[in-house]
Amino acid sequence: MKRFGLIGHPVAGSFSPKLFEAAYGRRYPYDLIEGADFGASWQRFLDEYAGINVTAPFKEFAFRAVDALSDDARLCGAVNLAVKTPAGIVGYNTDVAGVVLAVREALAGLASPDPQPVIPGSTGNLLKEALVVGCGGAGRAAAVAALRLGCRVTLANRTPSRAAALADDLGCDWIPTEGIAALSPDLVIYTVPGPMDGFPEFPEAIILEANYRTPCLEGRGKAYISGRRWLLFQAVAGYEIFTGETPDADAMFRIFC
């Protein structure tokens, strides 16, 4: 039987096993592979598992270890899912899909009073300007996702040189954090782990916050998306890559949100 798991350090307390069990009714084993040494964790994957999720601090190591990359993984410079194939180990970054699907869900919710989770298609022309705050790994994935959504993307980071470098890589604009208040984005993706003094309200924007354990912006914007939705949707996208089978998204929603 195929086995799957999660590598990273630390991984205790991860929601991934419960999500995976819900996705497939416990038909596949899913393990937490704890360890501070990437090489040892990667070898366990090679020896024992058909596919793995990858979390901090191993995503960039996994990027260099795979045989082939998806387009999103290549743009992100990081891998959060690796799977064995006949052609070798392929690395993906489903954080991008997680943002895209979470934002599309929020747009559908604004258009309809139906509270049921949906995974709609195009955003049409509803999103034109996106602001991504923070330029670490999550910020980079968020910027790639905003580009996938058809937005003009502006990056902001406390270290301007980091924002400038990422903007150059992805073909985005950037500003120092002091300039954020002058913008009027349709979408704000906040990937900074803590609060920023004086951060604007942006009442007309959809706001997605990466940090769901200690959120800073909950209740702001015309729609607020918890980082839980981002995590949930990246799992929905990733689990189908693992197994080739459509996961039970409704069961995942029920246990996680």
Side-chain angles (χ1 to χ4, degrees):
M1 176 183 291
K2 290 182 178 179
R3 297 174 63 193
F4 303 92
L6 170 70
I7 67 171
H9 182 70
V11 294
S14 169
F15 286 101
S16 292
K18 289 183 178 180
L19 284 173
F20 196 82
E21 288 172 1
Y24 294 111
R26 299 176 180 267
R27 287 188 290 113
Y28 296 103
Y30 189 100
D31 302 324
L32 295 179
I33 306 166
E34 176 65 67
D37 181 82
F38 171 76
S41 295
W42 189 258
Q43 190 60 50
R44 282 199 62 188
F45 160 49
L46 296 179
D47 293 342
E48 303 176 33
Y49 296 89
I52 52 165
N53 290 121
V54 183
T55 191
F58 293 163
K59 292 183 181 182
E60 292 183 3
F61 292 108
F63 177 84
R64 295 189 289 270
V66 298
D67 300 311
L69 293 161
S70 72
D71 289 342
D72 286 342
R74 186 176 293 105
L75 285 171
C76 290
V79 161
N80 76 338
L81 184 149
V83 63
K84 292 175 181 174
T85 76
I89 298 171
V90 180
Y92 297 84
N93 193 303
T94 61
D95 287 333
V96 175
V99 171
V100 170
L101 295 173
V103 171
R104 286 176 176 170
E105 179 191 52
L107 285 168
L110 289 170
S112 167
D114 183 359
Q116 295 301 311
V118 292
I119 306 177
S122 171
T123 63
N125 294 317
L126 297 175
L127 299 177
K128 296 180 181 178
E129 301 284 338
L131 168 65
V132 176
V133 184
C135 294
R140 189 177 186 108
V144 173
L147 291 169
R148 294 270 189 259
L149 287 163
C151 297
R152 177 186 174 193
V153 178
T154 301
L155 306 173
N157 195 68
R158 288 181 173 126
T159 304
S161 60
R162 192 165 188 179
L166 181 54
D168 186 59
D169 280 351
L170 297 180
C172 302
D173 298 323
W174 72 275
I175 57 169
T177 53
E178 308 89 79
I180 288 175
L183 300 179
S184 299
D186 305 300
L187 172 65
V188 176
I189 308 178
Y190 188 87
T191 69
V192 177
M196 292 178 62
D197 292 340
F199 193 79
E201 291 292 325
F202 294 124
E204 297 304 313
I206 293 172
I207 296 177
L208 169 56
E209 185 170 10
N211 185 355
Y212 61 86
R213 297 187 187 275
T214 55
C216 310
L217 305 180
E218 192 167 6
R220 299 198 194 185
K222 66 180 179 181
Y224 174 81
I225 308 171
S226 166
R228 281 177 173 252
R229 305 305 281 183
W230 184 349
L231 179 61
L232 177 67
F233 279 118
Q234 69 81 23
V236 170
Y239 293 168
E240 186 161 4
I241 294 171
F242 272 160
T243 66
E245 302 173 20
T246 302
D248 186 341
D250 288 337
M252 296 168 71
F253 293 142
R254 287 194 297 271
I255 68 136
F256 193 59
C257 298

